[in-house]
């Protein structure tokens, strides 16, 4: 009940005209970012972040999270209308969304997508409301070894649960750690890995990396494919909208299953993309008529959308309560929190309950607003995509570089975007996962500090990660299992075949 | 649709090249970490300890990627980049590089005007006056949004100094 009271206080702060206007602005910017290929949620948030440095943290986080919701919705619009996913997490929506649109059911597909996305998000926020205080209280007992174990678990799950080659996941993650280590060392004050370049003393900003990896990298990929939008005309028929809303409860099994998958994948760092694919796969497996999938089955739209959004919202929970983000975008936001002078983690709930609860309240409001705004603006954003890419592409380039410069006002950052862009492009084409790199860049210093402090505690014995408490031992065991899961899974497969 | 154009770079070559590149970075990190000691001091791990092992893991993991690429070579005759795609990438990346160089020399407002205008005329086939109008408008809008509204200064060059805009 204490949570409920807190939530009402949060609504008290979030329900001001200024904050509602920020939500609307954030959602609209987010839809734009989600609709445009080459701009996605992680780098959209990175581009906006420098503009919030002077804002009050509560207003700033409301703006950024609203942009995130908008981007998640915008990504589905292009998936359904143009068969081009605006976001990696809405790839699975194209499988059945675009066929539906081709059959003249675009309004129905869009409405079902947005409504189920809204339902998924609502599920996520309710879960956050119910669990966050409990998780934060639990995390208060953590000391450095526990924190290091949680970080290790986060990274191990990328290796164990990711679809990419485990070696590639490790490479990407460790490159992130290496970038994080550049510059002043927080413990000893030494300047590391700068190789004599004074401009590197302040380190490599993760925001520059995100703008390069996600922004320029995706643009290069889009350009290479010679992008053309050959979409269907987007006209929203109000009667079709209400009809689609009316049919939504029929799909409650898919909704519930997908929301649960999404919540799980969001809290553990599986992320929205994995959640949407997994949910689509399971919906197909449990469907009565599987052959309808891929030809415009409404279940094939509802399943990925619900999971995508519940994962997206749930990714905020570990970021707030533990200081461990569940997705690349959550990692960027967590970086923002640290820049605003807040420490994500359990202490945030004690020191700044107003911040935490107005954020959670704004998640309810922002998602409702996003559903309405995205439906209302579909024709407008679909028209934006008819502007030739020879204008839009270079404009996105300009926005990305301006964004990189505004982070610290340094020309080095302009240069750094280029190699990160090439790296993002090559890595994406060679199936290196990029999210672990971003997470490692944000968490790098914290993970290193936790490790070094634990080592100082234990006088250099790694045994502390098993003996400090029951908790740390169990987290480490799960982490180790996940870390070696690719190997264990292969062994089990071989044993089965042998029998 | 189009006829498939000739492969410029094969996927295998790119896998090997990127693994070697990453390995070199890993080695560089190891080398750089040695500056402050990679062992144990009086107060626990020395500053180079963590980066050194990060670098070492990069080297080992990229060896793994390399071995995987070599093992899968026969099943994988994919192309990484065709000639046509390479051309498109170059046509996009070249002007972008030019934009960065111009930004550093002339400031971002002038650079973005020249960049947008020339890309639209040369690659988009727009008339010069239309392209110029759109690019100048973009520069003015950026100025209003960043300098006036959000009070975030962008990189300026000689033109702004001459005009007395700070």
């Amino acid at each position: 009940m204490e949570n409920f009271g807190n939530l009402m206080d949060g609504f008290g702060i979030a329900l001001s005209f200024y904050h509602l206007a920020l939500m609307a602005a954030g959602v609209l910017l987010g839809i734009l970012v989600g609709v445009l290929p080459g701009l996605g949620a992680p780098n959209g948030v990175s581009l906006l972040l420098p503009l919030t440095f002077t804002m009050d943290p509560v207003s700033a986080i409301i703006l950024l999270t609203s942009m995130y919701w908008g981007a998640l919705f915008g990504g589905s619009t292009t998936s359904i209308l143009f068969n081009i996913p605006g976001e990696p997490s809405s790839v699975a929506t194209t499988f059945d969304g675009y066929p539906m649109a081709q059959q003249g059911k675009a309004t129905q597909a869009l409405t079902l997508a947005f409504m189920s996305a809204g339902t998924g998000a609502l599920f996520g926020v309710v879960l956050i409301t119910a669990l966050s205080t409990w998780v934060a209280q639990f995390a208060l007992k953590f000391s450095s070894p526990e924190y290091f174990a949680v970080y290790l678990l986060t990274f191990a799950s990328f290796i164990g649960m990711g679809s990419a080659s485990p070696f590639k996941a490790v490479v990407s993650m460790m490159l992130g750690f290496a970038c994080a280590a550049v510059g002043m060392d927080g413990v000893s004050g030494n300047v590391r890995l700068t190789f004599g370049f004074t401009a590197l003393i302040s380190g490599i900003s993760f925001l520059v990396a995100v703008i390069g990896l996600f922004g320029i990298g995706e643009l290069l990929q889009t350009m290479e494919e010679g992008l053309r939008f050959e979409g269907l005309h987007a006209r929203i028929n109000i009667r079709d909208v209400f009809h689609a809303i009316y049919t939504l409860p029929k799909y409650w099994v898919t909704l519930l299953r997908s929301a649960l998958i999404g919540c799980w994948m969001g809290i553990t760092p599986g992320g929205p993309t994995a959640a949407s694919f997994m949910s689509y796969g399971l919906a197909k497996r449990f469907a009565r008529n599987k052959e309808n999938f891929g030809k415009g089955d409404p279940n094939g739209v509802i399943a990925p959308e619900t999971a995508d959004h519940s994962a997206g919202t749930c990714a905020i929970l570990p970021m707030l309560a533990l200081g461990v983000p569940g997705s690349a975008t959550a990692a960027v936001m967590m970086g923002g929190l640290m820049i605003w002078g807040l420490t994500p983690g359990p202490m945030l709930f004690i020191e700044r309950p107003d911040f935490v609860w107005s954020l959670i309240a704004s998640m309810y409001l922002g998602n409702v607003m996003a559903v309405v705004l995205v439906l209302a603006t579909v024709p407008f954003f679909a028209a934006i995509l008819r502007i030739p890419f020879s204008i839009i592409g270079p404009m996105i380039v300009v926005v990305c570089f301006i964004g990189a410069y505004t982070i610290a006002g340094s020309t080095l950052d302009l240069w750094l975007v280029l190699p990160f862009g090439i790296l993002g492009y090559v890595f994406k084409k060679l199936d290196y996962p990029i999210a672990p790199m971003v997470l490692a860049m944000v968490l790098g210093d914290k993970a290193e500090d936790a490790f070094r402090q634990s080592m100082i505690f234990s006088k250099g014995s790694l045994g502390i990660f098993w003996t400090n408490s029951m908790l740390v031992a169990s987290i480490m065991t799960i982490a180790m299992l996940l870390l070696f899961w690719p190997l264990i899974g292969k062994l089990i497969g071989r044993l089965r075949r042998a029998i | 649709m189009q006829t498939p154009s000739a492969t410029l770079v094969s996927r295998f070559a790119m896998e090997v090249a990127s693994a070697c590149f990453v390995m070199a970075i890993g080695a560089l990190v190891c080398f750089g970490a040695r500056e402050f000691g990679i062992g144990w001091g009086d107060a626990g791990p020395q500053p180079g300890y963590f980066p050194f092992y990060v670098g070492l893991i990069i080297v080992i993991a990229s060896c793994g990627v390399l071995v995987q690429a070599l093992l899968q070579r026969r099943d994988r005759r994919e192309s990484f980049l065709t000639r046509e795609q390479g051309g498109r990438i170059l046509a996009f990346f070249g002007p972008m590089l030019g934009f960065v160089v111009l930004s550093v020399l002339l400031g971002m407002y002038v650079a973005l005007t020249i960049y947008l205008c020339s890309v639209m005329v040369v690659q988009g086939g727009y008339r010069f006056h239309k392209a110029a109008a759109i690019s100048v408008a973009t520069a003015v809008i950026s100025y209003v949004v960043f300098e006036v509204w959000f009070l975030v200064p962008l990189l300026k060059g000689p033109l702004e100094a001459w005009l007395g805009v700070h």
Side-chain angles (χ1 to χ4, degrees), chain A residues 100-157:
Chain A
M100 272 183 91
Q102 279 179 314
Q103 293 156 20
K105 291 190 267 183
T107 309
Q108 197 198 348
L110 287 169
T111 313
L112 281 180
F114 299 149
M115 288 307 291
S116 49
T119 315
L122 201 65
F123 239 89
V125 193
V126 170
L127 192 80
I128 293 180
T129 313
L131 289 186
S132 55
T133 313
W134 181 74
V135 176
Q137 264 164 9
F138 181 65
L140 272 179
K141 296 186 199 121
F142 282 18
S143 59
S144 331
E146 280 82 7
Y147 267 111
F148 182 75
V150 171
Y151 295 138
L152 189 71
L153 179 66
T154 311
F155 289 108
S157 56

Side-chain angles (χ1 to χ4, degrees), chain A residues 343-364:
Chain A
T343 317
M347 286 312 281
L348 193 64
F349 283 73
I350 296 167
E351 285 165 0
R352 291 295 304 268
D354 59 321
F355 175 85
V356 173
W357 289 99
S358 43
L359 166 60
I360 295 177
S362 83
M363 287 164 78
Y364 284 96

Side-chain angles (χ1 to χ4, degrees), chain B residues 11-42:
Chain B
R11 167 135 183 168
F12 174 71
M14 204 60 204
E15 288 274 8
V16 172
S18 61
C20 291
F21 174 72
V22 170
M23 205 183 294
I25 290 189
L28 189 70
V29 170
C30 286
F31 173 76
R34 289 183 47 211
E35 189 183 352
F36 295 109
I38 53 165
W40 285 80
D42 303 330

Side-chain angles (χ1 to χ4, degrees), chain A residues 185-469:
Chain A
D185 167 27
V187 179
S188 67
N190 286 318
V191 179
R192 299 185 298 187
L193 298 178
T194 55
F195 300 99
F197 290 102
T198 42
L200 281 174
I201 289 176
S202 52
I204 299 175
S205 163
F206 68 96
L207 292 169
V208 173
V210 171
I211 290 171
L213 290 168
F214 287 92
I216 302 299
E218 257 169 54
L219 269 179
L220 283 171
Q221 209 175 0
T222 312
M223 279 300 169
E224 174 213 86
E225 287 156 9
L227 182 80
R228 223 161 242 119
F229 286 99
E230 280 155 6
L232 303 139
H233 273 278
R235 199 175 285 145
I236 296 292
N237 183 339
I238 294 290
R239 262 183 56 200
D240 285 354
V241 171
F242 283 109
H243 180 72
I245 295 176
Y246 181 69
T247 60
L248 191 69
K250 241 179 34 191
Y251 303 101
W252 68 274
V253 183
T254 312
L255 276 172
L256 188 66
R257 185 193 326 109
S258 315
L260 290 177
I261 295 171
C263 290
W264 171 250
M265 297 296 273
I267 293 176
T268 62
T273 310
S276 61
F277 276 104
M278 194 170 165
S279 169
Y280 183 87
L282 284 178
K284 194 173 171 181
R285 191 180 293 171
F286 288 120
R288 248 174 267 151
N289 26 10
K290 290 184 183 62
E291 55 280 4
N292 275 3
F293 272 77
K295 292 177 195 153
D297 190 318
N299 279 304
V301 176
I302 293 171
E305 281 297 308
T306 315
D308 176 7
H309 282 243
S310 52
T313 32
C314 281
I316 304 286
L317 172 64
M319 175 196 100
L320 279 179
L322 297 175
V324 180
S327 72
T329 318
V332 177
M333 284 190 213
M334 186 176 128
L337 252 68
M338 297 197 276
I339 294 172
W340 303 324
L342 300 174
T343 317
M347 286 312 281
L348 193 64
F349 283 73
I350 296 167
E351 285 165 0
R352 291 295 304 268
D354 59 321
F355 175 85
V356 173
W357 289 99
S358 43
L359 166 60
I360 295 177
S362 83
M363 287 164 78
Y364 284 96
L365 298 170
N367 273 300
V368 174
M369 201 182 260
V371 173
V372 177
L373 280 179
V374 76
L375 263 173
T377 54
V378 162
F380 172 70
F381 285 106
I384 284 190
L385 288 178
R386 294 213 167 72
I387 301 174
F389 209 68
S390 52
I391 299 184
I392 293 207
M395 291 256 186
I396 298 176
V397 169
V398 168
V399 170
C400 284
F401 280 96
I402 289 181
Y405 183 77
T406 54
I407 296 164
S410 139
T411 45
L412 176 77
D413 287 345
L414 293 179
W415 293 112
L416 275 177
V417 169
L418 292 171
F420 275 115
I422 299 172
L423 193 72
Y425 164 72
V426 173
F427 269 23
K428 223 168 267 175
K429 282 200 84 177
L430 294 180
D431 303 320
Y432 283 82
I434 294 181
M437 195 192 299
V438 177
L439 242 67
M441 282 189 81
V442 175
L443 287 180
D445 287 338
K446 296 183 102 186
E448 183 181 347
D449 290 351
F451 179 75
R452 279 161 79 170
Q453 277 160 9
S454 318
M455 286 294 105
I456 293 168
F457 272 152
S458 72
K459 302 198 172 62
S461 154
L462 286 171
I464 190 170
F465 295 120
W466 304 95
T467 55
N468 198 42
S469 62

